[in-house]
């Protein structure tokens, strides 16, 4: 499989540690993995950089791109008017450059991508339990109680779709999860 570009779709509930896990995988796997930068209408969190973590767009900018068909998939996540979307050009350019493009997106977006790229490798990251996930979301302290509750409700819904993914990794031990992820890519 070496030398061939691939599309990887990674989903899992908010707070499961996808970001940390993926940063380690990208740094340690020795493959030309590149994280696709999504667009969002959510406000940046402290430390988040435009064009690096997300393209932070106004609702009007996002809508213009949506109407123009620039998204491979886009969804209003958490039912609050916050949009997230994968830019078609980012994915196409990455694949054309021979990269392994990684999308970290919600399960609805994942399904949409799989319809358009049937060969995409679908990976679901799971928490050890819902209690652990709740603790992590609370510990992160980046959300209001209300937003946290919505994320938890969304997480419960997302976990029900885990069985639709080709591969599932439980992120209870980061080192083990990183090894498991890399071994999936290398087989
Ligand atoms: P956060 O606000 O914590 O950065 O991301 C919230 C959720 O939005 C994550 O679970 C992530 O998977 C999802 N997400 C991020 N970017 C995209 C995207 O481009 N498309 C879709 N469908 N979901 C996304």
């Amino acid at each position: 499989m070496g030398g061939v570009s691939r599309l990887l779709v990674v989903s899992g509930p908010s707070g499961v540690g996808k970001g940390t896990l993926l940063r380690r995988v990208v740094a340690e796997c020795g493959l030309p993995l590149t994280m696709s930068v999504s667009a969002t209408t959510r406000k940046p969190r402290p430390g988040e950089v435009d064009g690096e973590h997300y393209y932070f767009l106004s609702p009007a900018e996002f809508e213009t791109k949506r109407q123009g068909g620039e998204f491979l998939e886009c969804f209003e996540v958490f039912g609050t008017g916050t949009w997230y979307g994968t830019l078609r050009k980012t994915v196409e350019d990455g694949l054309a450059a021979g990269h392994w493009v990684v999308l970290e997106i919600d399960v609805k977006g994942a399904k949409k991508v799989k319809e358009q790229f049937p060969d995409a490798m679908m990976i679901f990251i799971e928490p050890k339990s819902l209690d652990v996930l709740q603790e992590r979301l609370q510990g992160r302290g980046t959300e209001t109680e209300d937003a946290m509750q919505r994320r938890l409700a969304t997480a419960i819904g997302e976990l029900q779709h885990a069985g639709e993914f080709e591969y599932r990794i439980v992120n209870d031990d980061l080192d083990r999860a990183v090894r498991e992820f890399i071994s999936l890519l290398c087989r």
Side-chain angles (χ1 to χ4, degrees):
M1 213 172 276
V4 180
S5 62
R6 298 202 65 180
L7 188 57
L8 264 67
V9 180
V10 180
S11 288
S14 180
V16 79
K18 299 184 293 282
T20 309
L21 174 58
L22 283 169
R23 271 193 296 281
R24 287 262 320 255
V25 169
V26 169
E28 296 171 28
C29 71
L31 292 162
L33 250 60
T34 167
M35 295 295 302
S36 161
V37 179
S38 291
T40 184
T41 59
R42 150 165 101 55
K43 296 272 172 285
R45 296 191 186 118
E48 284 185 331
V49 178
D50 186 42
E52 195 178 306
H53 297 91
Y54 282 103
Y55 295 107
F56 294 101
L57 304 182
S58 69
E61 287 167 331
F62 197 100
E63 186 56 19
T64 303
K65 288 193 188 299
R66 194 165 80 89
Q67 300 276 338
E70 290 185 45
F71 292 112
L72 200 56
E73 59 76 33
C74 65
F75 276 101
E76 190 187 348
V77 188
F78 311 130
T80 58
T82 304
W83 285 85
Y84 295 82
T86 306
L87 290 156
R88 196 179 290 281
K89 186 170 178 352
T90 303
V91 172
E92 288 174 355
D93 288 354
L95 293 176
H99 294 154
W100 292 33
V101 179
V102 185
L103 307 182
E104 190 214 312
I105 60 179
D106 80 327
V107 294
K108 286 192 238 118
K111 266 191 194 166
K112 258 277 163 23
V113 171
K114 186 73 176 170
E115 283 164 23
Q116 297 170 79
F117 290 88
D119 292 339
M121 187 174 181
M122 312 296 288
I123 304 173
F124 192 86
I125 312 297
E126 303 180 77
K128 192 170 170 207
S129 69
L130 214 50
D131 286 349
V132 170
L133 188 69
Q134 184 160 13
E135 273 167 35
R136 282 193 53 127
L137 277 170
Q138 272 160 347
R140 192 157 77 174
T142 52
E143 316 302 329
T144 61
E145 180 60 24
D146 194 36
M148 218 277 297
Q149 288 305 333
R150 272 199 304 272
R151 277 174 186 252
L152 199 61
T154 305
I156 293 168
E158 293 228 317
L159 287 171
Q160 287 164 358
H161 291 276
E164 296 161 23
F165 284 71
E166 277 173 283
Y167 303 104
R168 294 164 68 165
I169 297 176
V170 178
N171 192 17
D172 54 346
D173 171 335
L174 183 59
D175 287 327
R176 203 215 74 258
V178 169
R179 282 199 302 275
E180 207 177 305
F181 199 124
I182 293 175
S183 72
L184 277 183
L185 301 183
C186 294
R187 56 197 211 169

